[in-house]
Structure formats: C-alpha cells, structure tokens
Amino acid sequence: MISTRIKTLASFVEKDDVVLDIGTDHGYLCIYLKENNLCQDVLASDINKNALMSAQNNFQKRNLDIKCYLSDGFNNIDSYYNTSVIAGMGTSTILNIIKSDKCPSKLIIDSHNELPKLRLNLNKLGFKIVQEKVVLEKNHYYVIMLVLKGKQQLTETEILFGISNNLAYYKYLLAKNKELINVVPEEKKKELIYQNEILTGLIEKK
Ligand SMILES: C[S@@+](CC[C@H](N)C(=O)[O-])C[C@H]1O[C@@H](n2cnc3c(N)ncnc32)[C@H](O)[C@@H]1O
C-alpha cells in the first residue's frame, strides 16, 4: 500500500509537470504518479545501482515505461524535466544536489534532518518555500516542502519551525526539546529554552 508520505509528495505534483524523482530507490513515487496519471511524464534516477535496479524491476513488473538514470543528482540526466522530487535524504545531500545549474524551478523536498539549515540555504540559493505539509507516519514526522524559484524573506521562527502551521507538529517539537534539555550541554540548553519560548508562543496563538 502506498504511504501517506509518498501521497503527500505526489500532492504537490501538477498535470503539466515532467517529474524527475532523484533518489528514487524502490520507485514507489514514480509508480504512484504514473499509474494514477498525475503528470505529463516521470523519470527515475538514483546514485546507487542496486536501488535503481530495484526501481526498474518494480516498473517492469507493472509494465510501466519509466526512463531510469544512474546519476548523482542531475549530472547524467539528458531528458527534459521541469520538476524534481528529492526525498528521503539529508539536508547536506539535498543542498549539494540543487546547487546544480540543471536544477529545475520547481522542487518537492523531503529532508530527514537539519530543516532550519535547509530553509535558510534554499532562500540563499534563490528558492522560496511555498508550502510545507507535515505527515505523521510510523511515529515519525516528515516535513514535505513545495519549493519554487523566487525570493523570500523568512522570519527566524519560520526558518526554525517552518510554515506548516501544524499544531500537533509544534507540540511534538516542544516535547522533544523538553526531553533534550535534560541531556545537552549548558550552551545548547539556552538555545533550546529560547526555541521553546517561540514554540509555546506558536501553540498559544492557535
Ligand atoms: C532513503 S532513500 C529514499 C527513497 C525515496 N526517495 C523516498 O523518499 O522514499 C534515499 C535514496 O537516495 C539515493 N541518493 C542518495 N544520494 C543521492 C544523490 N546524490 N543522487 C541521487 N540519488 C541519491 C540513495 O541511493 C537512496 O536510494
């Protein structure tokens, strides 16, 4: 069964999009997009040969014609695309990938770490975060971002906690910080107390 996270990634895809799924792994997103006819075309890529073979097998089993590329980021892609999904990787990898001049103007991003660093650097690289959707799956929160070329001035609060406006997510972050406060060094403690004041404000506003 297709996961809520994959469905949420797909929810940002539009009919006219030609989607390149970077780091496709099993290829589930490509399969979902293609079988449901959600966009013009889909391309799959991965840096890892085995991952790409797993995607190719899954496409063949379903009789889906999806072009596959062994590629680090955009490097080896020689077909047209206007949208890229980069999901299930860390922020440093994602930022390295999107620094390429082959990066399209529409991105759908799901990073599993360092979200403030991601938001800050997306802005620095000339991208704006248009929307963030938060998904809770198997006790883990995922933040899925729709990102377009453009200027944006995010506030400190938005850089830290995003623009999802999701109360349950803010409460989760606050509870996590409160646990962390007991185990981190003194200088980090101050930072967490400061963050918790902001989170409490966000929660009270809702
Ligand atoms: C955890 S999987 C995520 C799979 C899928 N995108 C998802 O969100 O469910 C991460 C995949 O990204 C691939 N990957 C990591 N760095 C990459 C890069 N620089 N270029 C392309 N693929 C990369 C890995 O090989 C792996 O298959």
Side-chain angles (χ1 to χ4, degrees):
M1 216 190 46
I2 197 81
S3 74
T4 312
R5 186 181 64 87
I6 297 279
K7 276 190 184 167
T8 307
L9 289 167
S11 73
F12 284 133
V13 170
E14 294 165 297
K15 270 276 172 211
D16 283 345
D17 292 347
V18 177
V19 178
L20 167 63
D21 182 23
I22 291 190
T24 196
D25 200 358
H26 31 63
Y28 293 156
L29 174 71
C30 295
I31 292 169
Y32 183 71
L33 292 174
K34 194 84 175 178
E35 286 189 333
N36 293 286
N37 213 4
L38 294 177
C39 54
Q40 260 196 52
D41 204 3
V42 183
L43 313 170
S45 84
D46 206 289
I47 198 171
N48 180 297
K49 222 179 189 167
N50 290 334
L52 198 65
M53 271 166 60
S54 141
Q56 263 168 331
N57 278 337
N58 284 335
F59 301 156
Q60 269 164 15
K61 271 192 247 162
R62 290 166 177 81
N63 227 354
L64 294 174
D65 181 19
I66 296 175
K67 229 174 172 180
C68 293
Y69 291 90
L70 187 63
S71 176
D72 179 355
F74 298 100
N75 289 354
N76 299 340
I77 316 295
D78 58 9
S79 297
Y80 173 80
Y81 51 87
N82 56 22
T83 301
S84 183
V85 177
I86 312 173
M89 292 169 224
T91 282
S92 297
T93 306
I94 292 172
L95 289 172
N96 271 332
I97 290 174
I98 67 175
K99 274 178 193 154
S100 163
D101 54 12
K102 292 172 81 176
C103 184
S105 57
K106 176 174 175 181
L107 300 171
I108 299 162
I109 296 181
D110 160 23
S111 167
H112 60 219
N113 65 15
E114 298 185 294
L115 296 183
K117 177 178 162 186
L118 177 63
R119 295 186 185 100
L120 194 66
N121 282 284
L122 280 169
N123 280 185
K124 282 187 184 162
L125 289 167
F127 288 97
K128 61 179 176 187
I129 303 165
V130 177
Q131 203 180 340
E132 292 187 11
K133 291 184 188 174
V134 175
V135 177
L136 178 61
E137 200 166 77
K138 293 182 188 152
N139 279 331
H140 186 87
Y141 277 97
Y142 297 91
V143 177
I144 318 274
M145 300 177 180
L146 171 64
V147 174
L148 298 177
K149 268 271 173 220
K151 286 207 172 91
Q152 180 177 49
Q153 191 79 51
L154 291 173
T155 63
E156 185 191 18
T157 301
E158 289 168 335
I159 294 278
L160 282 171
F161 306 115
I163 58 168
S164 68
N165 231 356
N166 185 304
L167 183 61
Y169 178 57
Y170 295 153
K171 284 183 174 171
Y172 157 80
L173 291 176
L174 181 62
K176 201 174 81 174
N177 273 0
K178 281 182 176 169
E179 269 175 32
L180 274 177
I181 277 176
N182 300 317
V183 292
V184 294
E186 207 54 41
E187 29 337 326
K188 184 75 185 158
K189 224 172 244 180
K190 277 190 194 143
E191 194 187 312
L192 290 182
I193 290 169
Y194 175 64
Q195 285 189 13
N196 286 356
E197 282 168 11
I198 301 177
L199 281 167
T200 306
L202 284 173
I203 292 164
E204 278 169 2
K205 230 170 47 185
K206 294 217 67 159

